[in-house]
Amino acid sequence: MAAKRRLVDDLLRGENHQILNRSSGGRPEACLHPVWREKVIKWYFSIVSALDRQHHSPDGPFNRSSVHVTTALLDSFLLALPSELALRYKHDRAAYQLLATTCLLIGMRLTQHDQQRKSQVPSENENSDGNDRPTCQLKRAKTHRDHMDQADHQDVDAGAENGSPSHGRPHADSTTMVVSIPTAATILQMSAAPKTISESKILTMVREVTRSRAFPRSHVITALDFIRVLTSSTQEENSDVKLTQEVAEEAYRLADISLTDVSLIGCRPSVVASAAITLALFRSHHGSRDMVSLRQDVCATIVGEDPAFQVAVRKVEAKLLAAAHQATHAHAPRQMQMNPPIMHRATAHLIPLEE
């Protein structure tokens, strides 16, 4: 129980740090284009699904984690901009497409970096005494800001201080094959991107995003992190919250759907995760347990007794239920295991011109 508590506390500390670095002078809807954002997130899932089918790497960066990290990068960058600059990305389709493409490229690299780091230091969480910096924190080296599009050149790994393994070779401390992140040119080709987006423009945008004060200097905390911790530990420890793989997958699906709701941008990942877990547990119990008691157990597991946190979770539950209902009829992003459309159809056109 203590090990799980440490992991959750680390995530909460990272989340607090993430919230402090986020700056928004008003409602997200004021500086974001909800329709464009929703279409781009669906495109993210399509691209990542296509890459996952190409590489057949279950432990690679082409999974829902990349989409959640990428979306967090996109939102945090826009919300940190002065309102007059942010409005440009609300009205200029080409500028928004360029930013969205750039964030996907960076998001996949950050996800790969996090996965490699976890495989290198599997016992790091166990060695924490609770007084050091959060174990989820990453050191972002200067090289992290340069050559982010050049995934084929593994000598410039995102955040790595001593270089990275060569393309296609196992990591020095692991037998896991390092999957090469697509270059900017590959992403553009897969996307049937408009001519207004070029490699050189993406390079420029990469520098702008990574130099932003909103760019994360530590692991990007998402709702998936909290779900993952509870899923990996409940089989070993006594807890009122027991996530089977089936329940966890439903929670992941709800977390995926939450990305398209612009009103949830300002929510803490822990709140979104708690809402997704509560709904997933309720469905697994087929109504044999009431929502109130399930919510109390989930919230107590994550933050302890906090009535305000429970109120926030209840509000997000309502939004997730509405979004899930809409997703059933509107083909919103589903879990990564679904049968995705054919690649050239799934990835073409970031934002359809008819919109």
Side-chain angles (χ1 to χ4, degrees):
M1 196 65 159
K4 179 176 72 174
R5 185 69 259 167
R6 275 201 307 272
L7 290 172
V8 173
D9 287 344
D10 280 350
L11 290 175
L12 290 172
R13 284 195 293 270
E15 178 185 73
N16 287 334
H17 185 266
Q18 197 165 286
I19 295 296
L20 289 175
N21 287 341
R22 181 192 299 163
S23 174
S24 176
R27 298 183 305 124
E29 297 92 330
C31 61
L32 301 177
H33 194 302
V35 175
W36 290 359
R37 182 179 177 277
E38 181 179 356
K39 288 182 178 294
V40 158
I41 290 173
K42 291 178 181 179
W43 174 74
Y44 286 158
F45 276 99
S46 295
I47 285 284
V48 171
S49 293
L51 290 170
D52 181 57
R53 295 199 308 277
Q54 281 184 356
H55 292 272
H56 304 292
S57 177
D59 297 322
F62 309 126
N63 52 47
R64 56 166 44 98
S65 293
S66 288
V67 178
H68 283 253
V69 170
T70 297
T71 303
L73 290 174
L74 177 65
D75 291 338
S76 61
F77 175 81
L78 290 174
L79 293 177
L81 290 175
S83 58
E84 62 274 13
L85 293 180
L87 285 177
R88 174 196 174 199
Y89 293 97
K90 185 175 181 179
H91 301 295
D92 187 336
R93 183 196 308 271
Y96 190 79
Q97 288 179 325
L98 175 61
L99 174 62
T101 306
T102 303
C103 287
L104 176 62
L105 197 66
I106 299 174
M108 287 190 294
R109 288 191 66 88
L110 294 186
T111 301
Q112 183 183 61
H113 177 258
D114 290 346
Q115 291 175 339
Q116 290 177 356
R117 181 177 178 275
K118 289 177 182 177
S119 67
Q120 294 173 35
V121 195
S123 61
E124 179 178 345
N125 292 324
E126 300 175 2
N127 296 330
S128 173
D129 58 6
N131 297 320
D132 297 329
R133 65 177 183 171
T135 56
C136 57
Q137 187 164 354
L138 303 177
K139 182 177 181 180
R140 302 298 196 197
K142 183 178 180 180
T143 54
H144 182 236
R145 298 167 177 265
D146 301 320
H147 310 295
M148 287 291 291
D149 73 312
Q150 298 178 9
D152 286 340
H153 304 302
Q154 294 290 333
D155 57 319
V156 285
D157 174 48
E161 297 183 55
N162 299 315
S164 64
S166 299
H167 171 67
R169 291 187 294 185
H171 191 278
D173 299 322
S174 171
T175 57
T176 303
M177 297 295 290
V178 176
V179 178
S180 177
I181 300 296
T183 62
T186 302
I187 294 295
L188 292 177
Q189 184 178 16
M190 291 180 65
S191 308
K195 295 181 179 179
T196 54
I197 303 179
S198 64
E199 286 185 79
S200 62
K201 288 183 178 180
I202 288 181
L203 279 171
T204 301
M205 196 72 231
V206 162
R207 289 190 288 270
E208 186 174 344
V209 171
T210 55
R211 289 170 180 170
S212 166
R213 61 186 177 85
F215 188 71
R217 294 329 189 244
S218 59
H219 169 67
V220 178
I221 306 297
T222 70
L224 303 184
D225 292 306
F226 290 94
I227 299 172
R228 195 174 294 119
V229 166
L230 297 188
T231 303
S232 62
S233 59
T234 51
Q235 301 299 322
E236 306 169 2
E237 305 175 15
N238 295 324
S239 173
D240 292 329
V241 179
K242 300 184 183 300
L243 299 187
T244 63
Q245 201 58 45
E246 182 180 1
V247 172
E249 188 57 42
E250 175 64 8
Y252 286 135
R253 186 184 74 87
L254 291 169
D256 289 348
I257 291 175
S258 74
L259 293 179
T260 59
D261 189 338
V262 70
S263 70
L264 294 179
I265 291 178
C267 285
R268 289 175 175 268
S270 57
V271 172
V272 175
S274 297
I277 292 170
T278 301
L279 290 174
L281 285 171
F282 182 75
R283 292 180 179 181
S284 72
H285 286 291
H286 304 290
S288 61
R289 285 197 61 186
D290 63 280
M291 287 281 288
V292 174
S293 62
L294 285 171
R295 185 185 307 117
Q296 289 174 343
D297 289 343
V298 172
C299 293
T301 300
I302 292 181
V303 298
E305 299 297 330
D306 187 340
F309 188 86
Q310 292 185 34
V311 170
V313 170
R314 186 175 69 246
K315 292 179 180 179
V316 173
E317 288 169 5
K319 292 183 178 182
L320 287 183
L321 284 173
H325 178 74
Q326 181 181 2
T328 303
H329 301 89
H331 307 291
R334 310 292 288 187
Q335 58 267 41
M336 295 297 298
Q337 286 74 16
M338 69 177 289
N339 295 322
I342 299 173
M343 183 194 305
H344 74 272
R345 292 182 181 175
T347 58
H349 305 304
L350 294 170
I351 304 172
L353 296 178
E354 63 269 17
E355 287 295 338

